[in-house]
Amino acid sequence: GAGAGETQAARLSSTAAVRALTAAEAADAKIEDVLLALPGHAVTYPTFEGAAEAYAGKLDAYQSARHGEYSLGGAYRHCVVRPEDLEMSVLSHANATEDLLATDDRKTTPHAVAPGDRLALRVAFTLPSSAYATVVLRQLTQQSFSTTRHSELTAAAAAAGGGTKASA
């Protein structure tokens, strides 16, 4: 865990005190405590079999003829993040275009929503920086992360007339 007053940025910076765990320590570790190194010269890279090959050459994309090689310190990201303050509820409503909740761009709470035969899922949670809400929603709804699956869904929507139109 973090020390008193230690920020998440400090815990995940390239200067954070990290080390590879022994097999015995790994057996007792929580998945939320596992960090992945982002490429850079100041991070401790994983030592498991295949790790060196996985990281090799990843900085090549950050070189340019004008500036030469960039000097990236690197950082760490949690392998798994669990959302905090997770709340879910189902709202019954009648109108598909009616505002159901206040949002960032509509600060006022809509009037009372009339119950109806339509259902909406309301999800609220808190994530740290560098974590993605879309990943949480995919996990909650058990949707695939597969590019192939998303291509199939896009093609099916386009065939049904619900696809996006490209402009020339």
Side-chain angles (χ1 to χ4, degrees), residues 82-144:
R82 294 192 193 273
E84 295 180 8
D85 309 320
L86 179 63
E87 297 176 11
M88 293 191 297
S89 59
V90 176
L91 305 172
S92 170
H93 64 103
N95 185 339
T97 60
E98 183 177 25
D99 291 341
L100 301 178
L101 301 168
T103 63
D104 289 342
D105 61 338
R106 288 187 313 270
K107 300 288 185 192
T108 59
T109 304
H111 59 280
V113 177
D117 60 351
R118 296 178 172 274
L119 298 177
L121 178 64
R122 179 194 161 277
V123 181
F125 49 86
T126 302
L127 292 173
S129 60
S130 300
Y132 297 92
T134 53
V135 174
V136 174
L137 295 174
R138 284 181 182 163
Q139 289 295 314
L140 289 173
T141 60
Q142 299 180 355
Q143 296 297 305
S144 172

Side-chain angles (χ1 to χ4, degrees), residues 19-102:
R19 63 181 176 81
L21 299 179
T22 66
E25 290 171 324
D28 293 332
K30 295 187 303 187
I31 189 67
E32 296 90 346
D33 293 333
V34 176
L35 299 177
L36 297 176
L38 298 180
H41 63 81
V43 294
T44 301
Y45 288 99
T47 56
F48 61 85
E49 185 177 338
E53 294 80 14
Y55 279 96
K58 297 299 183 201
L59 292 176
D60 293 346
Y62 296 98
Q63 295 182 19
S64 75
R66 182 174 179 195
H67 298 290
E69 185 174 343
Y70 287 106
S71 179
L72 298 175
Y76 299 97
R77 293 292 179 264
H78 287 277
C79 182
V80 172
V81 175
R82 294 192 193 273
E84 295 180 8
D85 309 320
L86 179 63
E87 297 176 11
M88 293 191 297
S89 59
V90 176
L91 305 172
S92 170
H93 64 103
N95 185 339
T97 60
E98 183 177 25
D99 291 341
L100 301 178
L101 301 168

